[in-house]
Amino acid sequence: MFVEATVSIVNLSPCFGLNSGYKHRFSRVSVRCIGTAADSSIVESADSVKVSGVSSNKRVVSLNDVGRRESIGSDALDDKSRWKEEKLETLWDDGFGTQTVKDYLDISKDIIKPDGGPPRWFCPVVADGNDNPIPNSPVLLYLPGMDGIGLGLILHQKPLRKVFEVRCLHIPVYDRTPFEDLVTFVEETLRFEHALFPSRPIYLVGDSFGGCLALAVAARNPAIDLVVILANPATSFDRSQLQPILPILEVMPDTLHVTIPYLLSFVMGDPIKMAMVNSESSSIPNLEKLSGNLTSMLPRLSGLSDIIPKATLVWKLKLLKSAAAYANSRLHAVKAEVLLLASGKDNMLPSKDEAKRLSRTLQNCRICYYKDNGHTILLEDGLNLLTVIKGTCKYRRTWKHDFIKDYLPPSMSEYRNGLQGNGWFHYAISPVMLSTLEDGRIVRGLSGVPDDGPVLLVGYHMLLGLELAPLIIEFVREKNVIVRGIAHPELFSENSKSELPEFSNLDLMKVYGALPVTPSNLFKLFSSKSFGLLYPGGAREALHRKGEEYKLFWPDQPEFVRMAAKFGATIVPFGVVGEDDVAELVVDYDDIMKIPVLNNYVRKSNKEAVRLRTEMDGEVANQELYFPGLLPKVPGRFYYLFGKPIQTEGMEKMLKERENAKELYMQIKSEVEKSMAYLIKKREEDPYRGIVTRVVSQPLSTPVHQVPTFEH
């Protein structure tokens, strides 16, 4: 169904229709660009966008018609049933990497055809319309870079449109709208969306020039809840290498302009990083596919002369200058939450230094630094925008991020990247997963662990948490379940010790469900029937001293037992051993505190860090954070044993008595200690404990969960 409106009804730009592909009443309709038979061209790409123009006497609503939006979807469901029906499943197909820069260049040829229209919005849609975002998804407005096309999210649009309602700004090639008018245009859309759903945040993704536009709009609308994502913003244009080009371009003969695209392509981005997209990303990319991508992409670069002809390039450089000046003069007024993506190899702008400046100037700014990427970071390999948003806890559907309701499970591409990132370690330690059935038998695999939540895994925290990644990966592989680790709040602190923090494994832990340890989060975890992972020993156990391996440091507080009983959760105690088979602890906290200068640094860091268990006494209260000195060993093997599940359903009344709760708590602790004692003894019988034996006797292609172990 397409709905048309005259100019008098909605005073927005032309060229758009409404596609009521959304099933539910409160979902927004997506924008699909259509045209009239007389004067428009309809551009279709099976999985990209549809854009064209229509005559001014037959205008079509550019965003949404309020009255019609409310009536769409007669099969409307209540919030709970819609959430149950449409939530993302673990390892959902996000389609990331299926579109590349080649698609960007090919689609651009059609979009840039002159239609005489002003700037306008469009939505990327799939041909079958099967791209409905989950309920209550926030709006994401993409503001393009110097090209103005609006296709800069082409690598990311498939995953993004599952959790956002994506709108992309298109500025026609020959449009000459001044910067302040562009700010007004975006601002009107922003206020329109905010008026419809004032409790939801609005996301602004500003790419280069669009970064200036996003900051300007944010500065003028401090009362609107905004999340601003900047990709190498052009606020540093006064220090750009493009500054000297402007006077040269103005006198350059038109015949030489065809060389500009090739020069700009190497200034604006890294062709190798662009070609690496979908070349089976790993530490060793598929060289044949990489070569093919690069070979097919380079001839298409000539199309940049049509995207940015000489007159447009001169205009855009002048526009950049005014945009940077406008945005910089208003940075103090930006109240929005800001995520800044900065490249280390940006040959167009000094983005690395600009990131430092903006982080000092803006009130609420988080940096993610990509040292190997160029200016067009959103078109290059090495960055999945949705993963970054999730890993920095920036995704939310209300005024505050909720670690349960706003959690998005990892997609298949994120799982593959996680495997590749931990591949060598996973292979080296070849984890053995054992579980205990109801009859007490120990079996290989996780069949002894319940399939349905709520489930709480309670166990020993190995040195530096080395056991975490293999445990989470194996639960996803075997049970298709995300085990959500209840972690130290310092993991979620944005007080980075680095000026230019990179997206790290700590951020990846949040993608895989880590959440801060608080009673309310544990409560929500149980109520959502999730799988939780709790380490009562906390940081004291994970950062233990020499000679303390496999020793539990649990507090005398059985509160998690009572809360588990309230929801009838199943508690599964587990033990894990193997840290002494991969490294030797040679410098611990006590040693560090004897080293001048270093000891003061550790004291200061802990003083500034989030503190836990300050009301307790004894060793469990020693939660000092530090990084131990380790001496690597030839890798052995990790062994996990999940004990017999403990059902708490029906025990809530009994466990209100402190003595009963403490008794069950001590039983759980005893089961963890017994599991580790069993594993320490039985691993001596494992002929495949050492990596050398495993490599010699097993083909490299053997999955780690199929490598033999001791009899159990």
Side-chain angles (χ1 to χ4, degrees):
M1 179 183 72
F2 289 90
V3 182
E4 298 182 355
T6 63
V7 181
S8 59
I9 295 177
V10 180
N11 186 24
L12 292 171
S13 61
C15 315
F16 295 88
L18 299 179
N19 171 19
S20 60
Y22 293 99
K23 293 183 288 186
H24 301 305
R25 181 182 169 204
F26 297 104
S27 294
R28 295 177 178 81
V29 292
S30 65
V31 180
R32 180 173 299 186
C33 308
I34 62 172
T36 63
D39 61 356
S40 69
S41 58
I42 299 179
V43 179
E44 298 197 16
S45 177
D47 215 6
S48 53
V49 296
K50 302 194 175 184
V51 178
S52 68
V54 299
S55 61
S56 59
N57 63 352
K58 194 172 180 62
R59 297 198 175 205
V60 183
V61 183
S62 69
L63 274 179
N64 305 294
D65 179 85
V66 181
R68 305 217 179 241
R69 181 187 294 187
E70 290 298 324
S71 63
I72 286 174
S74 58
D75 58 336
L77 306 172
D78 60 79
D79 281 347
K80 287 185 178 179
S81 58
R82 281 192 290 121
W83 172 250
K84 183 177 180 181
E85 179 189 3
E86 294 192 29
K87 68 178 182 179
L88 294 175
E89 299 296 330
T90 302
L91 304 187
W92 55 284
D93 181 12
D94 62 0
F96 179 75
T98 56
Q99 290 182 293
T100 67
V101 177
K102 291 187 295 182
D103 299 291
Y104 165 86
L105 294 171
D106 289 341
I107 298 169
S108 295
K109 292 178 182 178
D110 295 312
I111 293 182
I112 62 175
K113 293 176 181 177
D115 61 12
R120 77 287 307 259
W121 299 98
F122 70 88
C123 283
V125 295
V126 292
D128 59 6
N130 186 26
D131 60 348
N132 301 344
I134 58 178
N136 302 317
S137 294
V139 165
L140 183 150
L141 302 177
Y142 172 69
L143 310 177
M146 194 166 67
D147 63 326
I149 295 176
L151 294 176
L153 289 182
I154 196 161
L155 272 63
H156 311 273
Q157 64 188 29
K158 286 186 178 181
L160 286 175
R161 68 186 178 215
K162 285 293 185 181
V163 295
F164 290 104
E165 296 195 14
V166 181
R167 314 270 187 267
C168 300
L169 178 62
H170 173 66
I171 304 173
V173 173
Y174 295 101
D175 179 75
R176 297 295 182 263
T177 303
F179 181 73
E180 291 194 32
D181 289 352
L182 289 174
V183 172
T184 302
F185 176 77
V186 175
E187 185 176 61
E188 288 175 353
T189 304
L190 190 78
R191 292 176 178 176
F192 176 76
E193 292 289 348
H194 177 67
L196 288 175
F197 297 97
S199 63
R200 298 183 194 173
I202 297 175
Y203 285 70
L204 295 178
V205 178
D207 187 359
S208 186
F209 165 76
C212 296
L213 190 52
L215 287 170
V217 172
R220 288 168 46 142
N221 296 272
I224 297 180
D225 184 10
L226 298 176
V227 180
V228 177
I229 301 173
L230 307 174
N232 294 323
T235 46
S236 61
F237 182 70
D238 59 335
R239 290 167 278 142
S240 169
Q241 296 187 43
L242 292 182
Q243 281 277 26
I245 295 179
L246 185 56
I248 298 174
L249 283 174
E250 292 178 330
V251 298
M252 177 182 286
D254 291 339
T255 54
L256 294 179
H257 181 66
V258 291
T259 63
I260 294 296
Y262 295 96
L263 298 175
L264 280 181
S265 65
F266 286 91
V267 171
M268 295 176 68
D270 183 345
I272 302 296
K273 295 289 284 186
M274 292 179 182
M276 284 178 66
V277 176
N278 88 355
S279 62
E280 299 177 14
S281 299
S282 67
S283 55
I284 306 176
N286 185 322
L287 295 181
E288 183 178 352
K289 197 165 187 179
L290 171 62
S291 176
N293 289 349
L294 191 60
T295 302
S296 61
M297 183 184 73
L298 289 178
R300 290 172 165 86
L301 293 178
S302 61
L304 287 176
S305 60
D306 298 321
I307 296 172
I308 313 178
K310 176 186 170 182
T312 298
L313 182 56
V314 172
W315 164 255
K316 289 292 177 71
L317 290 175
K318 292 178 179 178
L319 192 64
L320 270 176
K321 186 175 181 179
S322 63
Y326 188 99
N328 281 320
S329 66
R330 290 163 175 78
L331 292 179
H332 64 280
V334 176
K335 309 295 183 186
E337 192 176 355
V338 178
L339 174 61
L340 202 164
L341 312 178
S343 295
K345 294 183 179 179
D346 188 343
N347 295 322
M348 178 176 170
L349 298 169
S351 293
K352 177 180 177 180
D353 294 334
E354 182 66 0
K356 297 177 185 177
R357 184 184 77 90
L358 290 176
S359 68
R360 293 190 297 265
T361 306
L362 297 172
Q363 300 175 30
N364 183 10
C365 181
R366 159 78 192 267
I367 295 175
C368 272
Y369 179 59
Y370 293 84
K371 61 182 179 182
D372 296 322
N373 285 80
H375 181 69
T376 52
I377 188 171
L378 295 177
L379 292 174
E380 297 177 12
D381 185 54
L383 183 147
N384 181 331
L385 184 57
L386 182 57
T387 302
V388 176
I389 293 172
K390 291 160 61 176
T392 53
C393 299
K394 299 298 182 187
Y395 184 77
R396 52 189 175 89
R397 282 170 282 184
T398 56
W399 68 277
K400 184 180 180 181
H401 177 77
D402 188 303
F403 283 94
I404 304 299
K405 293 181 180 179
D406 291 328
Y407 177 64
L408 304 173
S411 64
M412 180 57 76
S413 71
E414 289 168 336
Y415 177 65
R416 291 195 186 106
N417 286 334
L419 281 179
Q420 290 163 358
N422 290 278
W424 288 108
F425 179 72
H426 203 67
Y427 177 80
I429 55 101
S430 188
V432 176
M433 297 283 167
L434 305 172
S435 59
T436 308
L437 302 179
E438 289 292 336
D439 59 8
R441 287 186 298 120
I442 296 175
V443 295
R444 183 83 181 264
L446 300 172
S447 57
V449 179
D451 294 324
D452 301 315
V455 172
L456 184 65
L457 309 178
V458 183
Y460 169 69
H461 209 358
M462 195 181 282
L463 183 66
L464 292 177
L466 292 174
E467 82 289 349
L468 273 169
L471 185 152
I472 291 171
I473 287 173
E474 287 302 307
F475 265 85
V476 172
R477 183 194 62 79
E478 185 170 337
K479 302 184 82 69
N480 198 37
V481 162
I482 292 296
V483 176
R484 304 203 58 187
I486 303 170
H488 196 289
E490 186 62 22
L491 175 66
F492 303 88
S493 170
E494 295 191 1
N495 298 323
S496 175
K497 302 296 186 294
S498 170
E499 271 193 303
L500 294 167
E502 299 181 28
F503 191 85
S504 66
N505 283 333
L506 295 180
D507 298 308
L508 200 58
M509 288 173 61
K510 301 168 197 172
V511 175
Y512 278 85
L515 70 165
V517 55
T518 65
S520 62
N521 279 340
L522 189 58
F523 182 93
K524 293 177 184 177
L525 206 59
F526 285 141
S527 64
S528 63
K529 301 186 182 300
S530 301
F531 277 62
L533 174 61
L534 180 66
Y535 295 108
R540 178 62 182 86
E541 213 165 78
L543 298 173
H544 61 69
R545 300 356 174 203
K546 284 182 282 189
E548 293 179 346
E549 58 269 12
Y550 311 131
K551 181 179 179 181
L552 301 184
F553 292 91
W554 289 22
D556 189 20
Q557 290 188 344
E559 298 307 317
F560 75 83
V561 172
R562 293 178 177 177
M563 193 177 292
K566 181 177 179 65
F567 292 91
T570 302
I571 298 175
V572 181
F574 74 94
V576 55
V577 302
E579 66 176 72
D580 54 342
D581 265 1
V582 296
E584 180 182 353
L585 178 57
V586 292
V587 180
D588 63 11
Y589 179 79
D590 297 332
D591 296 324
I592 289 175
M593 298 315 291
K594 298 174 185 177
I595 303 174
V597 181
L598 189 57
N599 55 7
N600 288 331
Y601 173 79
V602 172
R603 286 193 192 99
K604 182 181 178 183
S605 297
N606 277 284
K607 188 176 181 180
E608 296 171 351
V610 179
R611 302 288 292 174
L612 295 178
R613 298 177 177 171
T614 54
E615 76 287 354
M616 297 183 183
D617 298 318
E619 282 299 316
V620 294
N622 294 331
Q623 296 285 315
E624 286 81 3
L625 305 177
Y626 77 103
F627 197 87
L630 303 177
L631 184 64
K633 294 181 178 180
V634 176
R637 205 169 188 185
F638 282 9
Y639 301 86
Y640 299 73
L641 174 57
F642 295 89
K644 187 176 179 179
I646 299 172
Q647 307 291 341
T648 65
E649 190 171 4
M651 299 175 65
E652 181 180 4
K653 186 174 180 181
M654 181 189 77
L655 292 177
K656 286 183 178 179
E657 296 291 333
R658 184 169 181 81
E659 288 304 315
N660 292 336
K662 187 173 182 180
E663 182 180 346
L664 181 57
Y665 179 80
M666 296 307 294
Q667 178 190 339
I668 295 168
K669 183 178 180 181
S670 176
E671 288 295 324
V672 173
E673 291 173 329
K674 287 179 182 178
S675 295
M676 290 193 291
Y678 173 85
L679 293 173
I680 290 171
K681 178 181 178 181
K682 294 293 289 184
R683 70 177 176 176
E684 300 295 335
E685 304 172 12
D686 186 1
Y688 300 97
R689 178 178 174 183
I691 188 173
V692 175
T693 305
R694 293 197 301 272
V695 170
V696 170
S697 60
Q698 296 291 316
L700 289 175
S701 59
T702 304
V704 294
H705 63 277
Q706 293 180 9
V707 177
T709 185
F710 55 77
E711 293 291 331
H712 40 271

